[in-house]
């Protein structure tokens, strides 16, 4: 495929959405055709799944169903949006992708979903396709949560389900991402997110330049 697929990952309060927007602007200024998207909820149907997943209804079914739903969202996202955009040569930037499922449903949640389960579902729904680059924003959960709660003052209470878990759980999220980066150093770059927006943006650009020689 002609286009690129770049995913952003990280725990709460790492500044992912700000950084992904800044990167989109940067790439556009450098002549790239950019598509900004996210998981869950990158498509119309995905938005409905997102509501079910993030607004508490998910407590009504188990971790297997929850994991399948994240992959259903992903499959629809890839088929309807990401792959066609890549065929058209677009640079697709996604706020979260499959590493989120590995980290949240497997490493952090401890609800019986194994590494192998996630890998099998990945293969089934995405095949051998992988992001060209995954940028993992890393921060001490204490710092990330403090940022996140500040932002949350304006957020819907029901959307806060993922933010309100215990600190230990957030630490497992962090370690999960670091583990993935260690397993796949050719795909993943870990950036220290405990710095200013402008400084972190510079680090993102450096990673992009190194990877894509632009
Ligand atoms: P979102 O509101 O997009 O917030 P942010 O990315 O800023 O944290 O929330 C998405 C939430 O869904 C996030 O807490 C992680 C979770 N999630 C999973 O548990 N599994 C997944 O596969 C994905 C894509 C997200």
């Amino acid at each position: 495929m002609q286009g690129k697929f770049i995913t952003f990952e990280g725990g709460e309060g790492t500044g992912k959405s700000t950084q992904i927007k800044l990167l989109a602007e940067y790439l556009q200024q450098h002549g790239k055709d950019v598509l900004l998207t996210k998981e869950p909820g990158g498509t119309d149907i995905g938005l409905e799944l997102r509501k079910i997943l993030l607004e508490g209804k998910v407590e009504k079914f188990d971790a297997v169903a929850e994991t399948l739903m994240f992959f259903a969202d992903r499959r629809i996202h890839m088929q309807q949006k990401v792959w066609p955009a890549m065929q058209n040569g677009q640079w697709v930037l996604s706020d979260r992708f499959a590493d989120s499922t590995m980290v949240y449903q497997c490493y952090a949640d401890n609800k019986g979903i194994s590494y192998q389960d996630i890998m099998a579902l990945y293969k089934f729904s995405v095949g051998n396709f992988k992001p060209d680059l995954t940028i993992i924003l890393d921060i001490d959960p204490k710092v990330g949560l403090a940022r996140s709660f500040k932002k949350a003052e304006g957020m819907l209470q029901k959307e806060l389900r993922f933010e309100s878990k215990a600190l230990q759980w957030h630490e497992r999220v962090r370690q999960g991402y670091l583990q993935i980066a260690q397993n796949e150093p050719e795909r993943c770059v870990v950036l220290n997110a405990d710095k200013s927006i402008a400084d972190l943006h510079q680090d993102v650009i450096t990673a992009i330049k190194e990877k894509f020689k632009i």
Side-chain angles (χ1 to χ4, degrees):
M1 268 185 265
Q2 292 173 304
K4 304 280 179 231
F5 186 47
I6 302 169
T7 60
F8 273 67
E9 296 280 358
E12 315 303 326
T14 47
K16 248 180 331 90
S17 31
T18 306
Q19 290 302 328
I20 203 169
K21 279 186 205 122
L22 289 174
L23 177 61
E25 283 165 21
Y26 173 88
L27 289 172
Q28 273 157 356
Q29 282 159 9
H30 286 76
K32 308 293 180 203
D33 187 359
V34 178
L35 177 71
L36 197 54
T37 187
K38 69 172 176 186
E39 290 190 0
T43 60
D44 287 348
I45 300 166
L47 278 175
E48 293 180 34
L49 290 171
R50 180 185 169 91
K51 262 190 150 178
I52 297 170
L53 284 161
L54 301 190
E55 291 185 3
K57 291 193 195 94
V58 72
E59 312 292 359
K60 291 184 181 150
F61 43 82
D62 72 353
V64 175
E66 180 189 29
T67 305
L68 289 170
M69 222 174 264
F70 276 114
F71 271 106
D73 169 73
R74 183 159 302 128
R75 172 74 190 173
I76 296 165
H77 188 213
M78 300 316 285
Q79 273 214 304
Q80 294 189 356
K81 202 167 173 185
V82 177
W83 287 329
M86 291 182 74
Q87 295 282 8
N88 286 332
Q90 285 188 292
W91 286 53
V92 182
L93 310 184
S94 186
D95 190 339
R96 298 195 181 280
F97 182 59
D99 297 319
S100 285
T101 321
M102 182 62 90
V103 163
Y104 287 82
Q105 278 65 53
C106 170
Y107 287 113
D109 273 355
N110 270 334
K111 287 186 187 161
I113 308 291
S114 70
Y115 175 87
Q116 286 78 8
D117 291 334
I118 304 283
M119 293 310 282
L121 286 172
Y122 185 97
K123 185 105 187 155
F124 184 53
S125 43
V126 190
N128 290 325
F129 176 85
K130 275 185 179 185
D132 295 285
L133 176 67
T134 295
I135 295 179
I136 296 172
L137 301 185
D138 177 60
I139 203 164
D140 180 336
K142 286 196 202 89
V143 180
L145 282 175
R147 281 184 179 179
S148 201
F149 278 123
K150 238 178 151 184
K151 189 183 80 180
E153 280 161 20
M155 256 167 96
L156 283 176
Q157 211 46 41
K158 51 189 176 182
E159 275 239 345
L160 284 175
R161 195 172 79 86
F162 282 96
E163 261 94 349
S164 61
K165 305 217 172 169
L167 191 60
Q168 268 184 337
W169 179 87
H170 290 279
E171 191 50 51
R172 288 205 297 277
V173 168
R174 182 186 201 189
Q175 294 309 324
Y177 278 124
L178 296 178
Q179 185 64 55
I180 288 173
Q182 219 181 356
N183 294 348
E184 290 183 76
E186 64 299 329
R187 172 172 68 86
C188 302
V189 172
V190 179
L191 300 180
N192 172 14
D194 192 3
K195 50 177 72 174
S196 73
I197 290 175
D199 287 350
L200 185 53
H201 177 53
Q202 284 312 314
D203 292 348
V204 170
I205 290 173
T206 303
I208 293 288
K209 281 183 173 164
E210 257 174 44
K211 183 77 188 189
F212 301 107
K213 315 288 175 224
I214 58 167

